[in-house]
Structures are given as structure tokens and as C-alpha cells.
Amino acid sequence: MKAIRMHEFGGPEVLRYEEVPVPAPAPGEVLVRVKAVGLNPPDWYVREGMPGIPPEFRPPFDLPLIPGTDVSGVVEAVADDVQDFAAGDEVMGLVRFPGAMQSGAYAQYVTAPVTDLAPKPSTIDHTHAAALPMSGLTAWQYLVEVGHDHPSPFQEARHRPMPLGGDTTVLINGAGGGVGHLALQLAKWKGARVIAVASGAHEEFLRGLGADEYIDYTKQRPEDIVRDVDLVLDTVGGPASRRFLPTLRRGGALYPVYFGEFDDEENAKLGVTVTGTQVRANGAQLAELGSLLDAGAIRVAIDSTFALADAPAAHKRAAEGHIQGKIVLTVP
Ligand SMILES: NC(=O)c1ccc[n+]([C@@H]2O[C@H](COP(=O)([O-])OP(=O)(O)OC[C@H]3O[C@@H](n4cnc5c(N)ncnc54)[C@H](OP(=O)(O)O)[C@@H]3O)[C@@H](O)[C@H]2O)c1
């Protein structure tokens, strides 16, 4: 089969389109004929050798490797013990994440544990279905239900999503991106009022997804003008995330999606909670997201598509930033 494989860490040029063996499903797994692959930030973190992740948090991974975690495709074969899926089923999934960073989605075929897979929603194509898994599950596990008991590698405190409803205001930073645009819609689905923060080009898009208020961060700093919100979901996160603390009411919460540095004493003084989690593959939750898509309650937006062989160009697009929705590879 054809796959994108990397033999060294580096820029987009290390992603080589090569002939490799088709993998065989182990017990509990299926072989998926991949139709589309959704891109996510861990794809470029892995490509670069994870220089931004502290060594103690880096999973071990060996070269050469086939990157990529998010797929939509058709089941080609199943292991003897698999009953939940059969050849010909259309499926989507976040494959083996977090794991050894060897998920192997940038390929014509990938093996996947059945527990990572969900039926592909019937109302959308493979390109849109491949765009959903990691971003959708991140938004779900942050806002709706964690669904697992694994501690975050970055924080001892357990993440417990705040109940959302008509009396809740949620600010979503980075609302135009993969996680952000789905989180915005899940918060609206729960009935919350949503303030979306993004750069200027995303305003129409985000209002179309249901944002009640919109802040262009290139013109105004949300931390200067927003007060008393219940929850901030900061999909940009990192060291700058604590600037959102003054926007929260007492009893409010800040969820940085990318780990940052916080002072427990400062949080306690303000009466706020700061927690995060690491997204985990979960076929059952993904099926619930799929049902919401089929019901028209949420939709997934595509920033751009590239052929599998053009993965280096897709990574260059990602490096330009300002992604609106998701970047997807289509597979011949
Ligand atoms: N905890 C987990 O398990 C987990 C899971 C998934 C992702 N993540 C992390 O979450 C982050 C977001 O992932 P993603 O897939 O959503 O990335 P993405 O699709 O690239 O989205 C990031 C968005 O942030 C916006 N942005 C950039 N700088 C900003 C700023 N200063 N203020 C407000 N918005 C800004 C970008 O567009 P504009 O600048 O044009 O608005 C873009 O739409 C990544 O760091 C990723 O590693 C963590």
C-alpha cells in the first residue's frame, strides 16, 4: 500500500510517500481501507520529534513511523474475535490515542481496535467524518463527559466538566479551529450562551455556528472586556492561558486544552477551578457525536483538503495558522 512515512524528525519535507506492507489486524482489531485522514496538532508535534513537550511527558516513539490518528473509511477485514464490525461497514475513529504515536493513519490501510471506532454518520462524506474524531472527542471530553479515569499527564487534579445550560456563559478561545468550532456547537447544544474569540476572518463562520457574541482578538483583548463568565475553554492554552482568570466569576472554571502554568494559590484566592485532560480514543462517545451530526445539531467544517501524497503541503498549510475547521487528506 501507499503511506506517508517519516524516517527522521523535521519539517514537512520528512513526510515521504512510500510503498509499505499492509498491516494485519491483531485480536480485537479491524483493518480499515482509509478514505480520508483528519489532521491534528499531534501530527506536527510528532513530525518535529515533540520539541515543545517536556521530555518526561513525551511518549516513546521509534522511526520510521507512519503518522496520523483520525480516519474515516471502510472495514476491509476483521480479526477472528471481532463481532461489532464486519467487512464493508463504514467507520470513523481516533486510532490508538494516546499511545506510542504509531497510529499509522496516513496510509491506504490502517488497523484499529474496535473500541476506537464508531459507525460513520450516514449524512456526511468520509472527508467530513475523518475531520471529527480527535477534535470532537476533545470538545466532548472537556465539556460533556470525560469518559475515562486516566489522570492527565500534565496535572494531578481530575477534570470534571461543569454542567452547562441556559444560565451558563462559556467563552471559547480559538473558536475557529478544530476543537474550538466543535466545542462552540456542543456548548450551544447544551443551551449555553457562547462568546467566541478568534481572529477577524472567522466572524461570519462562528456566528453561523451559533456564537452569541464574537471578539476579534486582533482588535480587543478578551481579558480586558469580559467579566463573570462561568467557563473559559481555551483551545490555544499554554503559558498565556492564565490571562483568562479575571474573566471568570467566583466558582467558575478555566479549561486550557494545551497545558500551561498555573498557581494553585492564585486559583484558590479567585475561587476558580483550572483543569484539563488528555483526549482518549472512545468509539462510544464518537458514536454519540456522529448521532448529533446526523441529527443536524452540530456540523464539522473543512478548512482544506489535500491528497495523501501531498501531506507535506497539508502540513505547510497547518503551519500558516488561522485554520477554520479541519484540514483533511483524501486517500486514493
Ligand atoms: N488536551 C488534549 O488532549 C488536546 C486535544 C486536542 C488538541 N489539543 C491542543 O489544543 C490546541 C488546539 O487544537 P486544534 O486542533 O483546535 O488546533 P487548530 O485547528 O489549529 O485551531 C487553533 C485555533 O486557534 C486560533 N488562534 C491562534 N492564536 C490565537 C490567539 N492568540 N487567540 C485566539 N485564537 C487563536 C487559530 O485561528 P485564528 O488565529 O485565525 O483565530 C485556530 O483557529 C493545540 O495546541 C492542540 O495541541 C489538546
Side-chain angles (χ1 to χ4, degrees), residues 21 40 42 58 61 79 149 185 190 192 200 273 292 316 332:
N40 291 285
R58 263 179 231 156
F61 47 94
D149 236 4
Q185 296 176 80
K190 286 282 182 183
T273 309
L292 287 182
K316 283 182 194 150

Side-chain angles (χ1 to χ4, degrees), residues 211-262:
D212 299 283
E213 281 183 50
Y214 171 78
I215 297 171
D216 177 350
Y217 72 80
T218 67
K219 298 202 173 116
Q220 284 179 304
R221 291 165 14 129
E223 62 271 33
D224 292 342
I225 53 173
V226 176
R227 289 291 177 271
D228 288 329
V229 298
D230 300 282
L231 175 63
V232 172
L233 178 76
D234 181 8
T235 78
V236 180
S241 198
R242 59 191 288 185
R243 71 197 168 100
F244 285 105
L245 292 175
T247 68
L248 295 170
R249 67 161 169 83
R250 282 194 85 75
L254 168 59
Y255 300 162
V257 175
Y258 193 81
F259 69 98
E261 278 161 29
F262 292 92

Side-chain angles (χ1 to χ4, degrees), residues 7-174:
H7 298 258
E8 58 190 321
F9 301 118
E13 70 285 350
V14 303
L15 301 172
R16 292 201 224 146
Y17 191 57
E18 295 182 337
E19 191 72 29
V20 301
V22 176
E29 292 187 345
V30 305
L31 178 68
V32 179
R33 181 153 43 90
V34 180
K35 297 282 194 177
V37 184
L39 268 58
N40 291 285
D43 300 2
W44 27 104
Y45 305 158
V46 168
R47 194 200 71 218
E48 294 164 347
M50 298 201 165
I53 312 277
E56 62 272 28
F57 297 140
R58 263 179 231 156
F61 47 94
D62 298 321
L63 295 172
L65 69 78
I66 300 172
T69 58
D70 280 15
V71 292
S72 182
V74 181
V75 173
E76 178 81 8
V78 305
D80 290 345
D81 60 342
V82 167
Q83 315 215 320
D84 297 353
F85 293 101
D89 287 350
E90 293 192 307
V91 293
M92 61 178 177
L94 165 61
V95 179
R96 281 186 216 96
F97 193 90
M101 298 297 159
Q102 297 274 9
S103 302
Y106 286 23
Q108 287 182 312
Y109 293 90
V110 69
T111 58
V114 287
T115 49
D116 293 356
L117 297 175
K120 178 183 89 59
S122 58
T123 56
I124 58 173
D125 60 16
H126 286 287
T127 299
H128 287 79
L132 183 66
M134 182 180 285
S135 294
L137 286 170
T138 303
W140 188 271
Q141 290 172 15
Y142 266 83
L143 294 183
V144 181
E145 180 205 20
V146 180
H148 63 80
D149 236 4
H150 296 267
S152 161
F154 308 118
Q155 189 189 33
E156 255 175 60
R158 293 302 168 94
H159 181 69
R160 298 273 176 266
M162 168 187 289
L164 302 179
D167 53 357
T168 335
T169 298
V170 181
L171 182 148
I172 295 182
N173 188 42

Side-chain angles (χ1 to χ4, degrees), residues 41 45 138 173 177-179 199 202 217 235 257-258 277-279 322-323:
Y45 305 158
T138 303
N173 188 42
V179 176
S199 67
H202 303 307
Y217 72 80
T235 78
V257 175
Y258 193 81
T277 185
Q278 185 177 33
V279 68
H322 303 300
I323 298 170

